[in-house]
Amino acid sequence: MTRPFSRRRDGLSLSEALPDRSLFALVAMMGFLAALTVAGASGARALSARWAGGAAQLLTIQVPDADNPVATQDGSTPTTTRVQAVLADLTNLPAGAEVHQLTQPELARLLEPWLGETDNSALPLPAIIRVKLPPDAAIPTSLEQTLNTHVPGTIMEHNARWGERLRALANSLLACAGLALLTVGGIATMITGLATRTGLASRKEIIKTLHGLGASDSYIAGRFAWRTATLGFGGGLTGTLGACLPLLLLLQMAAPFASAPRTTPDRLLPQDWHALAGSIPSDMLVALLLLPVGAAFICWLTTQIMVRLWLLRLP
């Protein structure tokens, strides 16, 4: 008895009971929000990993009164300046460490955002030493104490602390993104449930007749589920594609921070768009491709459960 029904593609006339516009449009909006959420979380995690990985190997050392001689304990005449003494202590760093003292022009560029293009040579600026450790190299635990013992007043800033803060921020954003995705999924489930209930109400007599003639629960639930899954997939795909343009624009803005290929800010050429698309992280791309499938699955599963529960209450 079930074969004649299974041969018909839309045996319950669900194209009329479940119209395209409402469910399709609502799922498309949910897909758009989910795509932005996934992209934002993935981008934040990628930037945090990139920054934290670089910052963990960087040290910044400030030496006040750099050109003053180092005070000696025996009262003898000092032969080295404070900055020279610090540089001598830094020779004991692990092999491969890069030590660079910022020059006067580099300091001027560093202060330009605050002081403007002025002559800063007369200012009592400390010497700034930048240290880049090789990968997987640890900072000697006694380095800061050694520097302060030999050159009192030396300030050492370990940029890994900023990396830890960035990781904490990224984890918070990921948690918020997870809650947002759960919320979007819950709303999509509610929308699908309401659409399914509307379809059941409008086809109640037909379903009862077909069920009485021998149509199985699987057939009826399958017809409804296929219809809502199709609309969910189309809506999810539309929403994901609609989110691609703002995502590419966000990638363009984030390119300088992520060391990605830079593009012309006022006009994007076709090759620029191709470069931006190629800079999308692989995990973000996979998540975006799975969004329409996830939307279809939510619609299919919700409809299957609701229709089967509804059929169980039939006399």
Side-chain angles (χ1 to χ4, degrees):
M1 293 294 294
T2 59
R3 290 185 179 179
F5 297 111
S6 62
R7 293 174 184 173
R8 301 185 59 185
R9 181 177 180 82
D10 194 9
L12 301 177
S13 300
L14 295 181
S15 60
E16 300 176 5
L18 295 173
D20 298 354
R21 295 181 179 178
S22 58
L23 183 59
F24 182 90
L26 291 173
V27 174
M29 288 187 285
M30 293 298 100
F32 181 84
L33 293 176
L36 292 181
T37 302
V38 168
S42 178
R45 186 173 61 83
L47 286 176
S48 174
R50 187 185 298 269
W51 290 343
Q57 306 306 120
L58 292 178
L59 281 176
T60 302
I61 301 174
Q62 299 182 31
V63 186
D65 303 325
D67 295 330
N68 291 350
V70 179
T72 58
Q73 297 180 353
D74 56 2
S76 59
T77 303
T79 58
T80 60
T81 61
R82 289 167 55 86
V83 68
Q84 290 174 343
V86 170
L87 292 174
D89 288 335
L90 295 178
T91 57
N92 298 322
L93 289 174
E98 300 178 7
V99 179
H100 172 67
Q101 180 182 354
L102 270 64
T103 62
Q104 192 65 32
E106 290 174 334
L107 286 174
R109 287 195 299 269
L110 187 65
L111 297 175
E112 185 175 341
W114 291 271
L115 301 180
E117 297 182 1
T118 58
D119 185 9
N120 303 318
S121 57
L123 295 177
L125 298 177
I128 305 296
I129 302 174
R130 185 172 57 204
V131 180
K132 183 177 181 181
L133 298 174
D136 301 328
I139 301 172
T141 56
S142 60
L143 178 60
E144 187 171 5
Q145 182 179 359
T146 301
L147 293 178
N148 277 289
T149 301
H150 294 169
V151 185
T154 302
I155 302 173
M156 187 179 75
E157 181 178 355
H158 189 190
N159 295 341
R161 298 169 185 171
W162 289 101
E164 295 174 358
R165 296 176 183 177
L166 287 172
R167 280 193 294 270
L169 176 60
N171 292 334
S172 300
L173 291 176
L174 287 174
C176 293
L179 292 176
L181 287 177
L182 289 177
T183 303
V184 170
I187 295 175
T189 301
M190 294 176 59
I191 292 171
T192 305
L194 292 174
T196 302
R197 181 179 298 179
T198 301
L200 289 171
S202 64
R203 289 294 180 269
K204 182 176 181 179
E205 297 302 325
I206 297 178
I207 294 173
K208 286 183 176 181
T209 301
L210 294 177
H211 196 262
L213 292 175
S216 65
D217 293 356
S218 299
Y219 165 75
I220 297 174
R223 293 299 92 190
F224 273 91
W226 174 259
R227 177 65 177 170
T228 56
T230 302
L231 295 176
F233 181 83
L237 182 62
T238 302
T240 302
L241 292 177
C244 287
L245 179 59
L247 290 181
L248 289 177
L249 295 177
L250 289 175
L251 282 174
Q252 180 199 5
M253 296 173 60
F257 302 98
S259 299
R262 302 188 64 178
T263 57
T264 306
D266 54 348
R267 182 182 179 184
L268 289 176
L269 300 176
Q271 58 269 25
D272 297 328
W273 287 109
H274 180 73
L276 280 176
S279 64
I280 299 178
S282 57
D283 57 345
M284 182 193 302
L285 185 60
V286 171
L288 292 177
L289 292 176
L290 290 178
L291 279 179
V293 179
F297 177 76
I298 290 175
C299 294
W300 180 87
L301 182 61
T302 303
T303 304
Q304 282 277 356
I305 295 174
M306 289 198 63
V307 173
R308 288 178 181 272
L309 292 176
W310 187 84
L311 290 173
L312 289 176
R313 294 195 295 267
L314 290 179

